[in-house]
Amino acid sequence: MTKEYMDALEAFVDKLTLAAVLEMLERISHKKAENLRTHWKDETSAKLWDKAARQIEQINIDV
């Protein structure tokens, strides 16, 4: 990960809050899982994305 990406992510967190960024990552993960199931018939990868979404949801806190 480059400093440029770290700075960009920090700017998102500063602007939107950590909770909002985590919520977006959770939603993106669910959408990726759905896309893998629907378009690629890849249940194995879809389950991994769903698992990631559940883990993100568990750490979603307000800071």
Side-chain angles (χ1 to χ4, degrees):
M1 190 176 305
T2 67
K3 182 177 180 343
E4 180 182 355
Y5 290 142
M6 291 289 290
D7 290 344
L9 184 56
E10 184 178 3
F12 277 120
V13 171
D14 289 346
K15 185 172 184 174
L16 302 172
T17 75
L18 179 58
V21 172
L22 288 169
E23 183 178 344
M24 286 188 285
L25 288 171
E26 177 194 349
R27 290 181 184 185
I28 290 167
S29 297
H30 278 303
K31 286 183 177 265
K32 289 185 81 59
E34 181 180 331
N35 183 54
L36 285 163
R37 281 189 184 94
T38 303
H39 299 288
W40 297 97
K41 308 300 183 213
D42 185 352
E43 186 61 29
T44 302
S45 296
K47 285 181 180 180
L48 292 173
W49 280 104
D50 279 335
K51 180 180 179 182
R54 287 191 305 274
Q55 289 175 333
I56 292 167
E57 184 178 18
Q58 290 176 352
I59 61 169
N60 194 355
I61 56 171
D62 287 319
V63 176

